[in-house]
């Protein structure tokens, strides 16, 4: 079994958590339980998709990033802005203004992640032409999706194109370029990714396809936005810093990665529930006529990441404005001398069998049968009062020794002599009463 | 000898619900520690069976029996039956009505895909009395 991840960007703020059941109901991997009045994240199940951050009514879930003060640890600081950053600003006249702004808020250089994206687009075109992979080929760009495939759709691991992420390609190139231009040692150069989501923070710390991290830290897009906003309007005639074309910047939204590919049969899907449903179809063999699938865990793609500021639909329009009249790919016209020699992953994705009940199959089957029995005995209300997302999940937790049958308030009530009560309805809240009170 | 029985109703009214039994079965097999590739084969068998039951028979029933040696998937319906089983086994042979084919389904790959993904396939069918397809995937 591969090493399970220890670090997760998605964290709980214990002081803010009220122990409500909103997050457990929305988590797509059933990774949260409520215990002793607080949510608890089951580390190996969490894919850092950020759904719980979005739905928490008490803002008790957060995405941990690096503090901007970390920039001070390095002699030369390079910003790697995700293209979704540009989409946060209305009426932006070009990426140059944002890049110039980054140089005013503490960075010495910029290296656009969209340039990295163009390198990955080119590598994807080559990988698809090779045709050695089972169809449909699946993009590895969204780390939440890749983790989801590793825990829930392992049969589709061979379909995933094993290319590193655009921000990783950008980080490697940025450090090499900075080292050459400044004469500094690579470790004196700080390369910071400005991220739209927690999944990328986790992936930067524990790379999915690389042996070791290539960025020195991740800054929250919200945090950087706050610092940029006051300086942007003061920039007169920003210098031409932007090098990438519409192809790379387009990666910020769902469909961007796909539009950089030849007009084969391709599909782009966003939103974690849609992603799951399409992956089920791929597994069932009902999408075998499709050549390529782009999957983004967030609605509208990276512009919908939970560390962005702007509503994703408005961000999409902002981005469209920015791309209007912009040339397609800059990559072939401007070769990247500092690009990594290989964009292929250094390690393989592995199945993480976290949903397996126990390693021994006969025992797992026996336990599964017991789960089914228990599930039928439970009320099926999925009320969440036991701290599990559904009666079924409680049945699993009970059989695995992580919960007790008494955790179900309805079962417990019965056990405490519910049958002897003159009118059991008296003791139930309105949704569960059989008759309306007078 | 442990044996786990899973049963699902295949709703014939809702075209889009085809695939639900496959999703539920996959979850169960994953929990029981079945290998990913075996799960994928079972999911193709189940999905194609569900589609056939919805397209041709207005729904049906699916049952999965899991034992340490094999997974047995049975899909049964009370539809019109398969008139020519030999023809139905040929790739591209389809009797799906035009309204289904217009939706992109009924390409005549259902039974061939089921045969490809299972180790044994058995079809019991009689005109007007329905169809029972049994597939075995060995572990």
């Amino acid at each position: 079994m591969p090493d399970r991840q220890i670090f997760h960007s998605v964290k709980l703020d214990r002081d803010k958590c009220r122990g409500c059941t909103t997050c457990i109901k929305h988590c797509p991997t059933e990774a949260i339980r409520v215990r002793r009045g607080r949510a608890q994240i089951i580390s190996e199940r969490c894919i850092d998709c950020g759904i719980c951050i979005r739905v928490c009514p008490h803002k008790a879930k957060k995405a941990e990033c690096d503090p901007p003060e970390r920039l001070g640890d390095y002699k030369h600081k390079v910003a790697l802005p995700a293209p979704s950053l540009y989409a946060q600003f209305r009426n932006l006249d070009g990426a140059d203004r944002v890049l110039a702004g980054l140089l005013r808020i503490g960075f010495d250089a910029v290296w656009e992640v969209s340039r990295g994206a163009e390198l990955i687009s080119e590598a994807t075109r080559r990988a698809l032409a090779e045709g050695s992979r089972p169809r449909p080929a699946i993009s590895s760009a969204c780390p939440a999706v890749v983790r989801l495939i590793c825990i829930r759709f392992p049969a589709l691991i061979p379909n995933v194109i094993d290319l590193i992420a655009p921000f990783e390609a950008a980080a490697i190139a940025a450090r090499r370029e900075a080292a050459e231009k400044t004469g500094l040692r690579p470790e004196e150069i700080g390369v910071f990714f400005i991220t739209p989501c927690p999944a990328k923070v986790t992936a930067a710390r524990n790379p999915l396809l690389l042996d070791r991290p290539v960025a020195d830290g991740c800054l929250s897009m919200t945090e950087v936005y706050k610092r940029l906003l006051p300086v942007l309007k003061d920039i007169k005639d920003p210098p031409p810093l932007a090098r990438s074309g519409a192809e790379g910047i387009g990666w910020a939204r769902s469909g961007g990665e796909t539009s950089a590919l030849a007009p084969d049969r391709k599909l782009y899907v966003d939103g974690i529930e849609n992603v799951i449903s399409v992956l089920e179809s791929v597994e069932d063999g009902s999408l075998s006529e499709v050549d390529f699938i782009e999957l983004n865990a967030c609605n509208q793609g990276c512009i919908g990441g939970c560390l962005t500021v702007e509503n994703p639909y408005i961000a999409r329009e902002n981005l469209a404005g920015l791309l209007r009249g912009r040339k397609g790919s800059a990559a072939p016209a401007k070769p990247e001398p500092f690009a990594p020699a290989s964009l292929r992953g250094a390690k393989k994705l592995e199945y993480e069998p976290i949903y397996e009940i126990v390693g021994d199959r006969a025992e797992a089957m026996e336990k599964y049968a017991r789960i089914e029995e228990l599930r039928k005995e439970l009320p099926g209300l999925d009320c969440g009062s036991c701290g599990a997302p559904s009666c079924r999940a409680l049945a699993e937790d009970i059989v695995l020794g992580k919960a007790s049958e008494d955790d179900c308030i309805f079962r417990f009530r019965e056990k405490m002599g519910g049958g002897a009560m003159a009118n059991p309805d008296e003791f139930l809240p309105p949704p569960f009463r059989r008759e309306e009170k007078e | 000898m442990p044996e786990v029985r899973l049963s699902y109703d295949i709703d014939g009214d809702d075209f889009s619900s085809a695939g639900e039994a496959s999703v539920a079965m996959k979850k169960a097999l994953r929990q029981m520690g079945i290998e990913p590739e075996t799960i994928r084969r079972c999911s193709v068998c189940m999905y194609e069976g569900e589609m056939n039951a919805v397209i041709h028979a207005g729904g049906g029933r699916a049952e999965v029996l899991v034992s340490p040696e094999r997974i047995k998937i049975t899909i049964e319906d009370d539809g019109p039956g398969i008139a020519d089983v030999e023809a139905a086994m040929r790739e591209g042979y389809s009797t799906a009505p035009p309204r289904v084919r217009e939706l992109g389904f009924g390409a005549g790959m259902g039974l061939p895909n089921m045969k490809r993904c299972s180790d044994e396939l058995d079809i019991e069918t009689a005109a007007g009395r329905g169809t029972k397809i049994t597939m075995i995937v060995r572990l």
Side-chain angles (χ1 to χ4, degrees):
Chain A
M1 197 171 294
D3 288 342
R4 287 187 175 163
Q5 287 181 297
I6 308 153
F7 173 82
H8 282 287
S9 170
V10 174
K11 293 222 161 39
L12 178 81
D13 184 334
R14 289 189 53 84
D15 296 333
K16 287 185 180 164
C17 180
R18 302 267 302 270
C20 79
T21 55
T22 308
C23 61
I24 60 172
K25 289 284 187 187
H26 286 86
C27 176
T29 60
E30 297 192 332
I32 314 175
R33 299 291 184 273
V34 181
R35 294 285 181 270
R36 294 181 294 282
R38 301 278 187 281
Q40 271 181 9
I41 304 172
I42 304 166
S43 179
E44 66 264 31
R45 289 191 177 192
C46 176
I47 57 169
D48 293 274
C49 67
I51 293 280
C52 57
I53 298 179
R54 255 185 263 273
V55 300
C56 178
H58 310 291
K59 300 201 186 314
K61 290 280 178 37
K62 54 188 180 182
E64 192 179 271
C65 296
D66 290 288
E69 294 71 47
R70 285 267 327 279
L71 291 181
D73 298 348
Y74 300 91
K75 284 191 180 157
H76 184 81
K77 301 114 184 154
V78 188
L80 308 178
S84 41
L85 177 65
Y86 314 136
Q88 306 309 307
F89 303 96
R90 296 186 191 192
N91 306 316
L92 192 68
D93 51 2
D96 288 334
R97 182 172 297 278
V98 173
L99 299 173
L102 290 168
L103 297 179
R104 289 207 183 177
I105 62 165
F107 290 100
D108 301 301
V110 290
W111 219 100
E112 307 145 76
V113 171
S114 48
R115 280 168 76 182
E118 286 175 358
L119 293 170
I120 301 301
S121 283
E122 179 57 28
T124 305
R125 287 189 284 266
R126 267 182 274 131
L128 288 176
E130 274 170 27
S132 54
R133 198 170 283 98
R135 294 284 150 115
I138 297 174
S139 160
S140 64
C142 175
V145 169
V146 174
R147 285 267 299 133
L148 176 74
I149 289 172
C150 288
I151 63 172
R152 183 160 164 185
F153 298 96
L156 304 182
I157 288 176
N159 297 58
V160 178
I161 303 180
D162 57 337
L163 292 171
I164 62 174
F167 83 84
E168 290 172 322
I172 295 167
R175 193 184 308 278
R176 291 165 75 173
E177 183 170 335
E180 178 154 314
K181 285 192 175 158
T182 63
L184 292 168
R185 294 197 305 276
E187 61 271 24
E188 293 174 307
I189 296 159
V191 176
F192 288 86
F193 174 46
I194 299 164
T195 179
C197 74
K200 289 184 164 77
V201 180
T202 300
R205 193 88 60 102
N206 298 317
L208 292 163
L209 287 158
L210 287 169
D211 294 325
R212 67 183 95 82
V214 288
D216 297 297
C218 293
L219 303 180
S220 146
M221 191 167 284
T222 306
E223 192 60 41
V224 172
Y225 174 87
K226 274 192 260 171
R227 286 163 194 245
L228 275 177
L229 204 54
V231 307
L232 284 195
K233 61 181 187 313
D234 296 333
I235 297 170
K236 302 267 181 298
D237 301 322
L241 294 163
R243 299 225 3 217
S244 75
E247 178 178 301
I249 294 175
W251 273 61
R253 51 154 168 67
S254 178
E257 183 186 359
T258 302
S259 64
L261 303 173
D264 286 309
R265 285 159 297 182
K266 53 198 180 181
L267 202 61
Y268 64 89
V269 181
D270 51 284
I272 193 76
E273 296 303 333
N274 294 327
V275 165
I276 290 171
S277 145
V278 164
L279 288 173
E280 297 282 12
S281 296
V282 175
E283 204 167 47
D284 289 343
S286 57
L287 279 174
S288 50
E289 76 282 8
V290 176
D291 291 318
F292 177 83
I293 307 186
E294 169 190 338
L295 299 165
N296 287 291
C298 296
N299 288 330
Q300 298 289 323
C302 296
I303 50 173
C306 60
L307 290 171
T308 61
V309 181
E310 190 57 280
N311 169 298
Y313 294 88
I314 297 167
R316 195 178 175 97
E317 201 42 45
N318 292 345
L319 197 75
L322 198 64
L323 294 178
R324 225 162 270 141
R326 208 182 171 86
K327 276 196 224 95
S329 171
K334 298 180 200 166
E336 297 282 11
F338 300 100
S342 169
L343 298 163
R344 278 265 150 86
K347 63 180 184 190
K348 294 223 175 308
L349 296 174
E350 276 185 67
Y351 176 31
E352 296 167 46
I354 56 148
Y355 290 111
E356 225 174 86
I357 299 168
V358 282
D360 178 68
R361 187 179 296 155
E363 195 186 336
M365 286 175 58
E366 258 163 54
K367 290 211 151 104
Y368 185 86
R370 177 74 194 121
I371 290 170
E372 273 292 297
E373 263 169 52
L374 254 174
R375 183 185 63 82
K376 286 176 195 150
E377 290 168 24
L378 290 170
L381 295 165
D382 295 344
C383 71
S385 302
C386 61
S390 63
C391 294
R392 205 215 136 77
L394 175 64
E396 288 166 19
D397 289 352
I398 293 169
V399 171
L400 292 172
K402 292 172 182 162
S404 134
E405 285 190 48
D406 293 345
D407 292 349
C408 172
I409 54 165
F410 298 94
R411 292 277 296 215
F412 188 65
R413 218 180 122 268
E414 266 169 40
K415 199 170 134 186
M416 295 311 282
M421 283 182 231
N423 180 7
D425 274 8
E426 284 292 325
F427 303 91
L428 285 170
F432 312 120
R433 281 180 210 142
R434 284 183 198 94
E435 281 172 33
E436 204 58 56
K437 268 191 181 174
E438 292 288 306
Chain B
M1 187 70 73
E3 192 172 62
V4 175
R5 182 187 302 263
L6 312 165
S7 333
Y8 308 101
D9 278 329
I10 301 168
D11 182 1
D13 296 331
D14 183 5
F15 209 78
S16 68
S17 71
E20 281 175 6
S22 171
V23 169
M25 175 195 68
K26 279 191 270 186
K27 184 177 181 195
L29 296 180
R30 211 157 41 228
Q31 288 186 297
M32 284 182 249
I34 308 296
E35 288 80 10
E37 185 53 24
T38 308
I39 297 179
R40 193 191 63 77
R41 289 170 62 202
C42 291
S43 83
V44 172
C45 291
M46 179 64 94
Y47 172 78
E48 295 290 4
E50 283 181 81
M51 282 308 286
N52 280 349
V54 172
I55 293 173
H56 300 287
R61 302 160 297 284
E63 190 180 76
V64 183
L65 272 174
V66 187
S67 72
E69 293 81 37
R70 52 134 188 73
I71 296 167
K72 183 174 159 193
I73 301 171
T74 311
I75 294 153
E76 210 173 342
D77 66 55
D78 307 316
I82 305 171
D84 186 344
V85 174
E86 205 179 306
M89 291 306 297
R90 281 200 303 270
E91 290 190 7
Y93 179 87
S94 176
T95 58
R99 63 176 175 89
V100 170
R101 304 192 73 143
E102 275 163 20
L103 292 169
F105 299 102
M109 290 305 290
L111 285 169
N113 279 341
M114 287 151 100
K115 186 167 176 60
R116 183 171 52 81
C117 289
S118 59
D119 293 304
E120 287 172 40
L121 172 85
D122 180 63
I123 303 172
E124 284 173 54
T125 186
R129 273 186 296 169
T131 302
K132 181 179 175 182
I133 298 181
T134 308
M135 288 162 282
I136 290 179
V137 174
R138 279 194 282 273
L139 298 179

